[in-house]
Each structure stands twice: as structure tokens, then as C-alpha cells.
Amino acid sequence: MASQISIDEIAIFCKKKGFVYPSSEIYGGMAGFFDFGPLGVELLNNIKASWWKYFVQDREDVVGIDGSIIAHPHIWKASGHVDNFGDLALICSKCRNRVRADHFIEDVLQVSAAGMKGHDINAIVKEKKLSCPLCKGRFEELKNFNLLFSTTVGAEQEKGVKAYLRGETAQNMFVDFRIITETNRVKLPFGIAQIGKCFRNEISPRDFMFRSREFTIAEVEFFILPDVKTCGIFTSEHRHMHVKLLDAQTQEQGKTTPSAVAIQQMIKDGRIDEWHAYWLAEQMCWLISLGLKKDDLKIREHVKTELSHYSTATFDIDYAYPFGSKELAGNANRGQHDLSAHMRASKEKLELFDEESKSKVIPRVIEPTFGMERTFLAVLCDAYHDDKKRGNIVLKLHPKLAPVKVAIFPLVNKDGLEEKAREVHAMLRRQFTCVFDRSGSVGRRYARNDEIGTPYCITVDHDTLQGDSVTIRDRDTTEQVRVSIKELQFTLLQLIEGHLSFENLQKKEKKVKTGKATNIDK
């Protein structure tokens, strides 16, 4: 659990088990870049697939795209990123070490720097006589550091065009807005969704993969008639969802304790409109569906001084990571900023004709956003359990997210059991991500799979040859139950999808008694 481990322990675990590695490690690595290993890529892909199903495939009002990473440089000028997309940096006059100003102040003084302006930070640095952590040199005046990675398109000798790696996925959806409406049967309100790589030249990457320079964003740009404030799909479940809210006023008073409020109360208090509230609630629902505990999530309202150049209201969903409660997802009211900006810069029309008002309108936008690596990290932190009784780590991932769904092994590697286990493995791998394991004791094989989050282990024993049945062992409880091979695929599917609990399966089938089973944990 996140509060019981350090982020360094998680990083070591991820490397040891093949989830995440530092990129380019044999050359000394590069700060802020990571490679996903065999287990990590499966977990990340499962998280992305869950997101895509929830926010795109299960809805009638959202379509998806996959835009290019490099686009016309005028896009980033028009959107405001060239001029406004940056962080304040403190640079040492002696060794030229660069640190992100707000993070440095938070680390050294243990105070929140959210919303601080440059003059506030400069004053604090001088008053507290803060110095470079490396050489104790004096800091220069603050400098604004643009986060966009620049590149050159075309041969250098031909004076190629300066371009940018995208800092967010949103702009693809805005500049493709017209062609999407022309080629798809969409009608306001509707959304465009995308999952893709983004790049930000972070001043000081930190906290493992939480703040990196290359990462994946999943977001929806949801387009609404500009004057419509009520949400027709805002259900009672959304309205009455209770959340922990850290509002702007509380933060401005220097306090950090959130209050328990219903989403509906946020609307009544004038913090948020119904569409914005609906998408905030939907974000919470999806995160909870991954297995994240609601108590570990809080909503933090941005104070006015920290709002992005495109936002009139933004809320972060923070997760209680080992290094503190930090942003996992965000939700911004972008209004008409982006479509209007691209209309002015491109001279192209990005309006829609509204049948009801018989006029052309520029839709306003609500933008729910998730960091996929941050979600990955939260899921790992939540699932991580050091089981003292078993003597190993148990990664209690939601079965639908687990990199390996089923492990199959013979009790012994003789008497025809290995061949039979291979048959079961060949049958199951058509539907599930499986591993076949014949090495070591059965207890050790259980432990190996516990550590990587495999929810179900199948053991083929001598009774299998007689009755054509196997035992299923549950990761979280270590309980076992015997199931016929002909029912095995359907039973596993029901368990993984959450339509059947292991306890109910035990009631349905004859329970394997502890101590008399042939494959008990040892």
C-alpha cells in the first residue's frame, strides 16, 4: 500500500520484476525517460484498453483518433504553448545547476508553492537565503523555462523547419475538429478522445516515473453548445457521489485538509457547472473501477493564479502516492479558447451549425485528462502488499489489469502431468495471457506469480488424469477449488471480468480442503 512503501522501493521492485527500467541504462541513462519491460507493457496496455473501452467504446457520444506527435509549428503558437507553456527555473550562478522553482521551495521549506508568482518565489529565495543544493552557490533571478521539445523537420543543410514534439494530445483534436464532424455522424454534445505520447522538457524529473519527460496522456475533448450549462446525462449517482475536496479558498488560507462534499454541492457553490461535474464524476468512477481506493483520491481545485492559459476552471484528481498526494488526472474547462485561437491563426472556420438556434456556434470544451504512467504507478502502489505470512510480495492487481491472467503448471514433471498441463496451457492461451511454469516447488511457483500479480494459478495433478479436472488457486486468499477442464475457460472469464467471486465459485464447486490438496502453498 502506498503509505507503507517508498517510491525508491517501488522503482527497485519494478526493475527487478520486469515492469519498468531506466532507459539507456548501459550508457548511464537519461533522466526522465523509462522503458516498459515485458510485464510493464502488458499492465500499461491493459490500463489503456480499460480507459478506451470506458470512455470511447462504451459510449455513443465519443469518437477516437490517433494524431501525429509532430505537427505544424503554427499550432503551438496559436494554442499559446510557445509563449505560455513553461515553468519557473532557478539557475545556480556558479555551477549552472537548474531546479524547478516551485518544487525546490516545497522540498526545502515544506510549504505548498501552488499558484506562486515569480516575484513571490524570488522574495522567498532572498529572504531564506536559499542556495544551490549541489554547490551552495547563489541563484540567479528566476527564468521562465519553456517545456516544449523542439526539433527540425527536413535536412539541416536545407534549413529545415523548426517544429515541436507535442506537449499535449489536445491540439490534434482541435485542429482535426472540422474534418471529424464532416466525416462522422456526430452531433453536439460529443467528444473526441485520444491516447498518445507527449513530451515535456521537465526542468527536474523526479519521483521515479511520476514526473518524466516522455509520457502518455489519455484525454477527451468534449464539445458542448456554449450557452448550455445543464447536462442531460448527469445521473443521481453522479450528483450524490461524495468526494474529498480541497477547494481554492482553503489553499489560499494556507491549509491542506480536504472536506467531504457531494458533487452536487460543488455545483450549488458555483465552483463547477453540470457538464464539468459530470466528467469529474466519470473520472472518479473509472479510477475506482481499477481497484484504487476512494479514500486515497481527492479533488483539488486550482487557485486562480495557477490556472493554465486556456482554462477558466481546473480540478486535479490527486492520489496518495508514497511521496505525497499528487496529481493523477485533471479536468479543465477550456471554454472556446482553442477552437477560437485556431480559427484566428488558420483563417479556417471551425464552427458548427446548430439546428435548434439556426446559427453557427463555436462549441465550448470540457477536458478530462489522465496520465497513463501516473495511473500505472498508482495501480502498482495500491496493489503492492508485503505479505509477512507468505514471506513474499503479493501484487493484488485487479484481475482485468494483471499482466498475466493465468499461470499453469504440472504438480510434477513426470507421469504425463507435464503433457496434460501443456494441453491446458494451449487451450487457455487462446483467450488469456498465460504462463507455463514447471520450475521449482509448487509453493515457489505460487510465490513467483503472487509477486507479478497473477490472479489465478492452475495446477494439473494426478487427479486430473483420472477426472479431467484441475485446481484453481486464488492469489489474494490462497484458497483453492477444483473445476472441470471443460468449464475452465468460462469460469476464468467470469472471475477475471468480475461476474463471479471466488467465494461463490467455492460454494458452487467442491472446495479443496486445506492440508489435503495436492498443491497447497508450501
Side-chain angles (χ1 to χ4, degrees), residues 133-320:
L134 296 184
C135 71
K136 304 303 178 184
R138 177 180 56 83
F139 283 122
E140 297 175 351
E141 289 292 308
L142 277 177
K143 288 184 172 61
N144 191 64
F145 185 78
N146 192 279
L147 300 178
L148 288 176
F149 272 106
S150 62
T151 187
T152 302
V153 177
E156 187 176 346
Q157 60 267 33
E158 297 174 4
K159 296 184 178 179
V161 176
K162 181 180 180 180
Y164 303 96
L165 303 183
R166 66 184 179 194
E168 63 175 23
T169 59
Q171 298 309 315
N172 294 109
M173 294 179 267
F174 294 128
V175 298
D176 287 346
F177 175 76
R178 187 176 69 182
I179 194 167
I180 289 171
T181 60
E182 291 173 349
T183 57
N184 293 266
R185 297 181 63 191
V186 293
K187 181 181 178 182
L188 292 173
F190 75 92
I192 305 173
Q194 182 174 198
I195 301 177
K197 287 283 190 181
C198 294
F199 304 82
R200 296 181 185 178
N201 196 10
E202 285 285 348
I203 298 167
S204 49
R206 64 186 200 169
D207 295 326
F208 187 27
M209 56 193 300
F210 176 81
R211 190 171 297 281
S212 54
R213 289 175 169 138
E214 177 183 347
F215 52 93
T216 308
I217 283 181
E219 61 189 349
V220 177
E221 305 302 326
F222 200 80
F223 300 90
I224 309 161
L225 283 169
D227 297 327
V228 172
K229 304 301 180 185
T230 57
C231 173
I233 53 177
F234 196 41
T235 67
S236 176
E237 181 183 359
H238 294 121
R239 292 179 186 277
H240 295 106
M241 175 184 287
H242 277 75
V243 298
K244 292 195 291 187
L245 172 67
L246 182 58
D247 61 44
Q249 291 80 5
T250 299
Q251 295 172 79
E252 288 165 352
Q253 294 168 8
K255 300 175 183 177
T256 59
T257 303
S259 303
V261 299
I263 293 285
Q264 179 65 28
Q265 189 61 47
M266 294 172 64
I267 298 172
K268 290 181 178 178
D269 292 343
R271 299 186 185 283
I272 196 168
D273 67 48
E274 282 194 4
W275 274 109
H276 204 168
Y278 164 80
W279 280 106
L280 199 58
E282 280 290 276
Q283 288 179 282
M284 289 289 291
C285 288
W286 180 70
L287 290 170
I288 292 168
S289 79
L290 301 182
L292 297 182
K293 298 177 183 62
K294 192 175 179 182
D295 284 347
D296 288 336
L297 300 168
K298 81 164 184 283
I299 294 174
R300 187 183 73 83
E301 183 181 15
H302 280 210
V303 299
K304 286 185 170 57
T305 51
E306 67 174 318
L307 288 173
S308 302
H309 61 277
Y310 52 73
S311 174
T312 57
T314 296
F315 295 85
D316 289 344
I317 300 177
D318 292 355
Y319 173 76

Side-chain angles (χ1 to χ4, degrees), residues 433-450:
T433 307
C434 300
V435 295
F436 181 89
D437 193 349
R438 65 185 297 278
S439 175
S441 69
V442 172
R444 183 63 206 133
R445 283 179 264 178
Y446 283 155
R448 280 199 292 265
N449 281 281
D450 285 347

